[in-house]
Amino acid sequence: MIRKLLKAAVVVAVASAVIENVPFESVGGILAVAVGIAWFGFLIFKVVPAVCRGAVRTQSRVTSGMEQSVSGAVNGLIMGGGGSREAERRAQAQARRQEADRRARERYRAQGEARYHEYYARKNAGTYDGYVSANRAQAARNRAKRL
C-alpha cells in the first residue's frame, strides 16, 4: 500500500514538474526527461529497497571471488597443466550428472508407463487385453528397477 502511494506521489510530482516547465523544443528533450524519470523510479523502487534488504552483493564479496579466480588461474599457469586436469574433472562430473539425470527421467517414464498399463489391466481383468496390459506393466516395472 505504501509503495503504491509512493509511486502515485512520484507520478504527481513528475507531472507537475512537466506541466510547470516551459514547452519542450525537441523530441530529444522529451526523451531525456522520460529516461530521467525512468532512472529515478528504478533507483527509488528497485535498488534502494534491495540494498535495504541486503539482497545486493557487496563489493568486498565480489572482489574476493574475483581474486580467488585470478589467483587460481595464475597458479595453474605457474604450476603447469593444473587447469586442464580441473577441466577434465569438471567434464567427467558433468557427464556423470547428465547420465544420472537421463536414468532418472527414464525411470520416471517407466514408472508412469507401469501405472498406465496397471490401470488397464485392472479395468480389463479376465480378458486378453487385461493379460497383455498386465504383461506390459510388469515389463515397465522391471525396466524401472534396472534403471
Side-chain angles (χ1 to χ4, degrees):
M1 181 67 177
I2 293 174
R3 288 183 73 142
K4 288 182 181 179
L5 290 174
L6 284 173
K7 287 179 182 179
V10 167
V11 168
V12 168
V14 168
S16 66
V18 169
I19 290 171
E20 291 178 9
N21 203 354
V22 294
F24 294 104
E25 296 178 7
S26 67
V27 176
I30 295 172
L31 289 177
V33 170
V35 168
I37 292 169
W39 178 248
F40 179 74
F42 173 75
L43 287 177
I44 293 297
F45 297 112
K46 294 290 184 186
V47 174
V48 172
V51 169
C52 291
R53 283 192 315 265
V56 176
R57 296 176 68 181
T58 62
Q59 183 65 27
S60 64
R61 284 188 234 156
V62 173
T63 305
S64 67
M66 189 168 52
E67 287 172 359
Q68 290 174 355
S69 161
V70 170
S71 68
V74 170
N75 284 339
L77 288 174
I78 293 172
M79 300 306 280
S84 63
R85 283 180 288 190
E86 185 69 27
E88 183 180 340
R89 239 182 23 205
R90 271 191 240 123
Q92 289 173 350
Q94 184 178 6
R96 284 193 301 269
R97 279 193 306 270
Q98 287 175 344
E99 177 62 21
D101 289 346
R102 185 195 62 78
R103 292 180 67 173
R105 280 191 304 273
E106 291 297 323
R107 186 179 324 114
Y108 181 77
R109 193 173 293 132
Q111 289 169 346
E113 185 181 338
R115 284 191 298 271
Y116 174 82
H117 289 299
E118 287 169 1
Y119 169 79
Y120 281 102
R122 283 192 308 272
K123 183 177 178 183
N124 299 323
T127 65
Y128 179 73
D129 288 337
Y131 169 75
V132 170
S133 293
N135 286 342
R136 288 181 179 170
Q138 184 61 40
R141 278 193 300 272
N142 290 339
R143 193 169 56 251
K145 286 179 187 176
R146 280 193 310 265
L147 293 174

